[in-house]
Amino acid sequence: MRRLVCMLLMFLSAASAWAQGAWVFAYFKEPGSQGIFFALSRDGYTFTPLNDGQAWIKPAADKQIMRDVFITRDPNSGGFRAVWTWDWRGASLGTASSKDLMEWTPQVQVPIMKDFPAVNNVWAPETYWDEKAKEWLLIWSSSFKDSKDGNRIWASRTKDFVAFSKPEKFYDPGFVVIDATMFRRDFAGKKDWVFVVKDQSTDPLRYAERWASGPTVEGPWSPLSGPINESWSEGPSVIQVGDKFIVYYDHYRAPRARYEGVETTDWVHWTSVNDKMNFPEAAKHGSFFHVTDAEAEKLLTRHDPAPATQP
């Protein structure tokens, strides 16, 4: 606790120097019923838990889980939109929104795959604003009871998170993939989209991240790269710090279960950043988003009462 307080004080004292704002890491911890946690970083490598390490958003319903959270800024309102895995099995994802990250709208269960009775799961949803179409693209992974194909990436569109288009298969490379994420890349004189997925092939065993690129949020996507990290890794997120692109991921297999990362300047050569990163203990599959100086300072003011100890 003393170390945590000292690090938060360092953030406060350096607030005036945050000319470019800060990064927020939103994540969950097992069990997934605890809620969503926040951590803050100035440099994109060291993330300090906010709210004294307590959950930032707690499940509103009993036995509800909040896993694989993705938070992004709404370009229209300037606020934020969150989506997450609502349940381990089922047809739904969860969503809520916030103007300032402090107060959130009621959590809504969206039965996005209700028209597919054989669906097993809706995992790791993410949402991206399609500027050309003026609507949101949601992506996630689903598998089906009547198919041996395993998970593929599915998608739906919405303008208001009330009405959604009927889901369609979004990405199928011919093998099992989950945990898709995207990144708007400004690189080598052109702007495009990077699409990163977990290749969950078992023959040969992959369980690692690979990436493709495309001109729009819907592709078309180039052939996948080779694996950019080691096996037993999932939940990728991409951020850019200076001229370096970092792919952070959840390396989930014991005895070294922890958040890890690789970085590149050319999207060809990848280097581990594990020796210079610091993540909250037990952090699991989450997402990263940028905040302003003022937003970062406001986040640092939250200190919920500690839960009462049992006698």
Side-chain angles (χ1 to χ4, degrees):
M1 178 61 72
R2 182 177 179 181
R3 178 174 176 268
L4 177 61
V5 172
C6 289
M7 294 184 74
L8 289 174
L9 289 174
M10 289 173 63
F11 274 112
L12 285 168
S13 64
S16 61
W18 291 0
Q20 302 301 318
W23 290 100
V24 174
F25 172 41
Y27 59 99
F28 82 97
K29 297 193 293 186
E30 295 287 11
S33 57
Q34 295 181 73
I36 296 166
F37 297 78
F38 279 8
L40 194 66
S41 176
R42 178 184 176 185
D43 62 5
Y45 295 95
T46 295
F47 287 83
T48 303
L50 292 171
N51 195 26
D52 305 315
Q54 299 183 84
W56 196 270
I57 310 171
K58 295 181 180 180
D62 291 340
K63 299 182 180 180
Q64 176 192 334
I65 67 170
M66 301 183 84
R67 299 170 59 100
D68 318 324
V69 59
F70 182 83
I71 298 178
T72 190
R73 193 180 293 271
D74 186 328
N76 299 307
S77 68
F80 299 85
R81 169 65 59 176
V83 290
W84 63 86
T85 299
W86 182 270
D87 205 348
W88 186 248
R89 297 297 180 191
S92 297
L93 58 85
T95 187
S97 62
S98 175
K99 295 180 179 179
D100 59 2
L101 297 171
M102 306 295 281
E103 300 292 335
W104 289 81
T105 60
Q107 297 165 23
V108 177
Q109 180 182 5
V110 179
I112 195 76
M113 292 291 279
K114 60 181 172 51
D115 294 329
F116 298 84
V119 71
N120 282 318
N121 54 280
V122 174
W123 286 348
E126 300 199 359
T127 185
Y128 298 90
W129 178 250
D130 185 335
E131 179 61 32
K132 184 176 181 180
K134 302 298 183 185
E135 61 186 9
W136 292 96
L137 171 71
L138 283 84
I139 59 173
W140 65 89
S141 55
S142 282
S143 65
F144 298 84
K145 299 178 181 69
D146 56 359
S147 172
K148 296 181 180 179
D149 289 344
N151 281 282
R152 299 295 194 267
I153 306 304
W154 284 68
S156 173
R157 286 178 171 268
T158 182
K159 294 182 181 296
D160 54 11
F161 283 87
V162 175
F164 298 84
S165 66
K166 184 174 181 178
E168 297 180 347
K169 192 178 291 184
F170 182 78
Y171 185 71
D172 183 356
F175 50 84
V176 178
V177 287
I178 64 171
D179 295 354
T181 192
M182 297 191 205
F183 178 75
R184 186 78 167 95
R185 182 174 66 167
D186 189 345
F187 174 70
K190 68 175 185 179
K191 295 182 179 180
D192 62 2
W193 286 86
V194 171
F195 184 73
V196 186
V197 295
K198 177 190 179 183
D199 177 348
Q200 193 139 309
S201 300
T202 56
D203 186 18
L205 179 68
R206 296 285 194 187
Y207 284 40
E209 273 57 53
R210 302 171 67 182
W211 68 274
S213 62
T216 75
V217 74
E218 286 196 320
W221 305 110
S222 67
L224 282 170
S225 70
I228 63 173
N229 53 6
E230 55 188 347
S231 297
W232 309 107
S233 302
E234 63 186 15
S237 295
V238 187
I239 67 172
Q240 183 175 358
V241 179
D243 65 344
K244 295 178 179 178
F245 299 89
I246 306 171
V247 177
Y248 279 123
Y249 53 89
D250 180 354
H251 184 275
Y252 60 94
R253 195 181 194 194
R256 205 184 73 245
R258 62 179 185 177
Y259 246 79
E260 296 186 344
V262 289
E263 67 182 12
T264 184
T265 57
D266 60 9
W267 291 87
V268 176
H269 304 92
W270 296 86
T271 304
S272 170
V273 296
N274 296 342
D275 61 343
K276 59 181 179 181
M277 59 182 276
N278 192 334
F279 271 76
E281 185 177 359
K284 300 291 295 178
H285 185 170
S287 60
F288 300 76
F289 57 95
H290 202 257
V291 294
T292 65
D293 298 343
E295 289 168 336
E297 290 189 53
K298 190 171 186 178
L299 293 175
L300 285 164
T301 66
R302 178 168 169 179
H303 301 279
D304 289 350
T309 58
Q310 297 295 326

